[in-house]
Amino acid sequence: MDLRPDEISSLIKEQIKHFADQIESKDVGTVMTVGDGVTLIHGLDNAMLGELLLFPGDVYGMVMNLEEDAVGAVLLGDEGSIKEGDEVKRTGRIIEVPVGDGLLGRVVNPLGQPIDGQGEIVYQHTRPIEKIAPGVMTRKSVDQPLQTGITCIDAIIPIGRGQRELIIGDRQTGKTAIAIDTILNQKGQNIYCIYVAIGQKNSTVAQIVEKLRQGGAMEYTTVVSAGASELAPVQYIAPYAGCAMAEEWLEEGKDVLIVYDDLSKHAVAYRTVSLLLKRPPGREAYPGDVFYLHSRLLERACRLDDEHGGGSITALPIIETQAGDISAYIPTNVISITDGQIFLQQDLFNSGIRPAIDTGLSVSRVGSSAQIKAMKQVSSSLKLELAQYSEMQAFAQFGSDLDAATKATLEHGQRVREVLKQAQYSPRSVDQQVMTLFALKYGYTKQIPVAKINQFMDELYQNIQNQHPEMITDIQQQKSISDELSLKMKDVINAFVENFLKVNKEG
């Protein structure tokens, strides 16, 4: 077909007009199936694992399966506006959350969006929720204590900055209470805190936030909440989002405490997602990579060496057991990843021993490295004394005539138990713990009736605070008890015991 000169001219002009235009390629897919918060998409050939996808109605999804002819994604919003045949766009971004000091004092969802009604969050940048844990060569050994304010833990099962200590036990045994007390005790310790609530009731999270606010802890705390009513994929990403927020402060050389409450519900959410994506089920219907689910999360807790800023992330994961069975699948997985566990027992809780910590089954693999010297000096024999007491107690039930040594062991054990009892939301300072354990170690509690032990310990510390504050200053500065200070403390406590017995006898 012949073209006239004017036609050729117009074609050339048209091409010149669009010469600067660029070809724009869009990676777009089509929804094949949707339901139960999971969707199968055809056509996204270049999608990345963990990438955010944009669905109609501004609903986001996350790629979790890369199959031969389709992509499996989980929805992070309402699926009501999505139907088969809808167009899906790639964003080119791996799922990420806002980070920085703007999150302090706020309650956010796992996408970093505020849910506390206090307006938008001001942040400078974001971080991907998944990250490879720091390597061994960038880490430093754990030797700085993270004080929980709970005497039983700080004295017998100490936690260090950069450690991963599991809190495990049946429901309603005080697991969350230990974590909240630890957060409350970080006031003035220059430690940032993150509390991740997974599958908790919104009312429970609201109560925890209120308690933290009353204790002045929200100033240095961020709460990440994926409630029980949230979709399983949202619950699944919650701990990773919290960890990404913590890593921002870690890289600034700061110390962070993060609580995962709880990873049993996290594993259930992941199982739900995996089964809906038609991944093959394994033991107890959990997918084969359920160990990796928690190991890649908890390995991110560490203490960096000075070259890399010297910051730390201390993780307190919580696991709920069924009838005290710590040999179940998920509990054994997490026990093998962590650096020790605090085991809470239903029987102890019901008998009025709070916190209900079983010191026989509980362990810290960091041990006395995470204690100041003064605490080591006064607490070294406590675990053995409690073990002897438990053994003698069982024996004493069958024997009526006990020798003097057995009686003395039982009476001392009762007093140790009383000293380690502690009310919720009342953390104790290190110097208070050292003073009370010193009095216990050197037998000043022998003459005090068991029922009055706690009153004696509280009044003793108040007396030292008021009359001999220099003793507390010495412990705080030296971090140890010198021979001179030890003699002085013995004289002061001895005089106080005499006065206490006299006053209470008259009373």
Side-chain angles (χ1 to χ4, degrees), residues 3 43 55 64 89 97 99 102 104 106 108 119 121 139 143 180 203 298 328 371 375 385 421 425-426 429 448 459 506:
L3 287 172
F55 290 82
M64 284 195 71
K89 294 175 188 171
V97 288
V99 292
L104 293 173
R106 301 301 299 269
V108 298
I121 289 169
R139 298 182 182 222
D143 58 9
I180 299 306
S203 58
L298 294 169
Q371 283 179 317
M375 184 62 88
E385 287 167 3
K421 281 184 187 178
Y425 308 128
S426 56
S429 63
I448 311 297
E459 288 181 15
E506 287 171 2

Side-chain angles (χ1 to χ4, degrees), residues 150-175:
I150 300 165
T151 308
C152 188
I153 295 174
D154 292 342
I156 302 173
I157 322 145
I159 299 172
R161 296 186 187 189
Q163 193 177 342
R164 301 154 299 177
E165 184 79 5
L166 173 64
I167 302 171
I168 185 169
D170 287 4
R171 66 185 298 274
Q172 298 295 313
T173 49
K175 301 186 297 298

Side-chain angles (χ1 to χ4, degrees), residues 341-362:
Q341 69 275 349
I342 295 164
F343 183 61
L344 299 165
Q345 256 198 348
Q346 190 81 56
D347 294 346
L348 292 173
F349 187 86
N350 293 341
S351 62
I353 296 167
R354 316 273 172 83
I357 297 169
D358 184 328
T359 51
L361 287 172
S362 300

Side-chain angles (χ1 to χ4, degrees), residues 220-248:
Y220 53 84
T221 304
T222 301
V223 176
V224 180
S225 175
S229 58
E230 295 281 3
L231 297 164
V234 176
Q235 293 184 33
Y236 158 66
I237 66 168
Y240 303 104
C243 195
M245 294 168 188
E247 281 171 337
E248 176 68 12

Side-chain angles (χ1 to χ4, degrees), residues 466-482:
N466 297 333
Q467 307 292 330
H468 307 278
E470 73 284 351
M471 285 163 57
I472 294 171
T473 310
D474 279 357
I475 290 173
Q476 287 172 346
Q477 287 176 348
Q478 296 174 22
K479 306 288 183 191
S480 66
I481 302 169
S482 62

Side-chain angles (χ1 to χ4, degrees), residues 187-224:
K187 193 170 187 179
Q189 306 278 349
N190 201 24
I191 291 180
Y192 292 117
C193 300
I194 296 174
Y195 176 78
V196 183
I198 309 157
Q200 307 288 331
K201 289 186 289 188
N202 290 339
S203 58
T204 306
V205 177
Q207 285 172 358
I208 288 168
V209 171
E210 188 52 38
K211 191 54 72 175
L212 291 173
R213 193 164 276 129
Q214 286 171 9
M218 280 307 282
E219 296 167 15
Y220 53 84
T221 304
T222 301
V223 176
V224 180

Side-chain angles (χ1 to χ4, degrees), residues 146 161-163 190-194 220 242-243 245-251 253-258 302 311-315:
L146 182 128
R161 296 186 187 189
Q163 193 177 342
N190 201 24
I191 291 180
Y192 292 117
C193 300
I194 296 174
Y220 53 84
C243 195
M245 294 168 188
E247 281 171 337
E248 176 68 12
W249 291 315
L250 168 77
E251 289 180 11
K254 292 168 182 170
D255 294 309
V256 189
L257 167 69
I258 185 162
C302 64
S312 71
I313 295 178
T314 310

Side-chain angles (χ1 to χ4, degrees), residues 482-501:
S482 62
D483 293 342
E484 188 186 335
L485 180 59
S486 178
L487 289 169
K488 191 177 178 183
M489 282 168 69
K490 284 176 182 176
D491 289 343
V492 168
I493 296 169
N494 210 17
F496 180 78
V497 169
E498 285 177 24
N499 189 47
F500 183 85
L501 289 169

